[in-house]
Amino acid sequence: MSTVTTNAKFNLGQLATTYNKMPDWLQGFTNATLGMSILLFFWWVGGILIESNPDTEAFAAFAPGPALTALWELIGTPFLWDTILSSLERILYGLFWGIVIGVPVGVLVGYFVFVRQVANMPFQFLRMISPLAWMPIAVLAFETWDGAIIFLLVMATVWPIVFGTAHGVQRIDPNWFQVARNLGADGYQMLRRVIMPAIAQDVFAGIRLAVGVAWVVLVPAEYLGVTSGLGYAINDARDTLDYDTLAAIVVVIGAIGYMLDTIAAKLIKYYSWKME
Amino acid sequence: MGSANIWITDLFHFYNKKQVSPTLENINLTIPQGQLTALIGRSGCGKSTLLQMIAGLLMPSEGSVRINAHTVTKPSAKWNMMFQKPSLYPWMTVRENAALGLVFSGTYKDKKDRVEELLDMVGLKDHKDKNVQQLSGGQQQRVALARSLATEPDVLLLDEPFSALDAFTRAALQTEVAQICHDYGITMVLVTHDIDEAVAMADKVVIMNHNPGRIVGSMDVNLPYPRDRNEAPFIELKEYLFSEFEKIDQAKESELEQMAS
Ligand SMILES: Nc1ncnc2c1ncn2[C@@H]1O[C@H](COP(=O)(O)OP(=O)(O)OP(=O)(O)O)[C@@H](O)[C@H]1O
Ligand SMILES: [Mg+2]
């Protein structure tokens, strides 16, 4: 018995040293795999609990086994890709308008103290309203369901972008303006060479937050009227009691959300100029 | 590079309308082309204000600044100011920072060599592709110098540009900048509280007084370049300037006391 324990300890120690010797990226990868395994484990346990409870037995297809099988089958179908594309398209429209409105407003808020003081309260107030709360108004105001959904997404994306941009503008060193003016910069050059590069990372930080919120809002928004998109697919799977597909779509939502966030994080890194 | 006369005539400045005494009062100063002038005076006497007016970054309440045939109404790369802080753009390399004035005027493509030469000249040959955040304070100020010189200015305006540097770097840059201005015939105006710096760099030292900001005296510095700071004439001039400065200061003090009593 005692030999076994020492053996186990020895192995653990060895494991620790191997881990420490690994390059950073491999350590990161190992840790990420560990995290995903833990998630999978809880999902699996959850599946077993659902299955063993007579009340919830009917939802057993939520478990990782059936879900991942359904996912595998879905990946081969154009249905999944069309669904993803229509959701991504809405997100892009929402982000586009969020940026088109949010960045200029953010510049004004960041640059003019007066605008900031006037805008602060109403903006904080509006920001706190769940984008989904605009749903009835959106449905009234827009002729198409798509229009309404994109409006909801804009209500979600615009605030982080406004605040991110404003923060970036406020951080601009006033001397940068003076130096640029002194070197003969005109308004456009000031914008292009000084203001935009100076605030880019903060704008993208805002966009990253916006993408996160928009992605979360998108699915319930797609429960509305439309007949495409991931939210619709979830609703549809529920109505047809197709629980393994439903779970598979949830996995897809998570994966794409993660991807979008990674892209945004890469952009922030690319545009950040602060050196550690 | 060309060079320029600077004429300042009957210049007054109030920062706000409620001011009792002006920030600058009746400033008249002519700086012949190619001359290196140092403005010295107590903190708050309006040196930076005056310099910003020469640069076109600030308009005087009354009077005018003219450079050659132009009345200065806005900044221009031809009369260029170097500030106390280098204020480089941290998202650019050393080269990109130095080239910025040329990029703004759309002439960088034709004058790439000029930027390279200037960077070599200010001792940044091996740092051209580095991000400016990787440079020391002295090196950063050298980038700012190259950036100012790249646009071939007629006038170079310096507002305590070396005050944040260590003594050795400061002395080296003082000598270099004075030399460069002489070589290219650039008219230079330097603001400083450092009498040593004024005597080391300038052909003429102008003394300002505060409350209101006025020009109260001047002194020519007829020493050859490069100047040896340990030679007797240099030290004598420095001491003379210091005593003049003190006299003016004491006169001001007693004037203020009289006004108070
Ligand atoms: N933007 C401004 N608004 C109002 N008053 C100002 C402004 N800038 C400077 N002043 C005042 O004008 C006076 C002259 O300032 P200035 O900066 O020209 O002095 P200075 O001689 O350069 O001083 P220092 O040697 O400390 O740099 C000071 O009394 C200062 O308080
Ligand atoms: Mg000053």
Side-chain angles (χ1 to χ4, degrees), chain A residues 72-269:
Chain A
W72 181 246
E73 278 159 15
L74 269 182
I75 286 175
T77 63
F79 164 74
L80 179 70
W81 300 106
D82 289 347
T83 303
I84 291 174
L85 277 184
S86 35
S87 281
L88 281 181
E89 198 184 327
R90 290 185 188 117
I91 283 282
L92 281 183
Y93 273 117
L95 261 185
F96 173 80
W97 288 111
I99 292 168
V100 166
I101 300 166
V103 171
V105 173
V107 169
L108 293 179
V109 171
Y111 194 79
F112 297 103
V113 180
F114 174 75
V115 179
R116 179 152 68 246
Q117 286 172 349
V118 169
N120 190 44
M121 281 262 277
F123 280 11
Q124 295 291 355
F125 177 85
L126 289 171
R127 182 172 79 108
M128 290 304 165
I129 299 169
S130 160
L132 291 170
W134 297 102
M135 205 179 290
I137 296 171
V139 170
L140 279 179
F142 288 87
E143 280 189 16
T144 61
W145 288 109
D146 259 317
I149 290 175
I150 289 165
F151 171 77
L152 295 187
L153 292 178
V154 173
M155 291 313 285
T157 53
V158 78
W159 307 116
I161 295 174
V162 167
F163 289 112
T165 307
H167 178 244
V169 172
Q170 275 175 268
R171 280 201 320 167
I172 293 181
D173 182 343
N175 292 324
W176 290 341
F177 291 128
Q178 217 173 31
V179 167
R181 279 218 298 149
N182 195 27
L183 288 171
D186 59 29
Y188 169 75
Q189 288 168 329
M190 187 75 90
L191 189 69
R192 161 110 203 280
R193 304 269 170 198
V194 179
I195 300 177
M196 295 219 304
I199 67 174
Q201 60 176 340
D202 291 301
V203 173
F204 280 109
I207 290 177
R208 184 182 183 185
L209 289 176
V211 170
V213 187
W215 194 244
V216 168
V217 167
L218 176 72
V219 171
E222 280 176 342
Y223 291 170
L224 280 177
V226 291
T227 52
S228 62
L230 292 160
Y232 166 76
I234 286 204
N235 230 8
D236 191 51
R238 190 198 59 189
D239 293 345
T240 55
L241 310 180
D242 210 354
Y243 296 124
D244 50 351
T245 308
L246 199 159
I249 300 276
V250 169
V251 172
V252 170
I253 290 171
I256 293 178
Y258 178 77
M259 250 173 45
L260 291 175
D261 187 68
T262 311
I263 293 171
K266 282 255 151 60
L267 283 171
I268 296 174
K269 204 165 163 213

Side-chain angles (χ1 to χ4, degrees), chain A residues 29-43:
Chain A
F29 180 76
T30 318
N31 294 346
T33 313
L34 178 68
M36 285 313 282
S37 310
I38 293 173
L39 182 63
L40 198 63
F41 172 76
F42 278 112
W43 185 8

Side-chain angles (χ1 to χ4, degrees), chain B residues 48-83:
Chain B
S48 299
T49 306
L50 184 57
L51 206 65
Q52 285 184 24
M53 285 170 181
I54 303 176
L57 292 167
L58 197 67
M59 291 301 290
S61 308
E62 279 171 49
S64 67
V65 176
R66 282 191 300 152
I67 295 178
N68 286 345
H70 304 278
T71 299
V72 175
T73 52
K74 61 176 172 37
S76 156
K78 287 286 156 203
W79 37 88
N80 206 292
M81 179 123 146
M82 241 180 99
F83 301 89

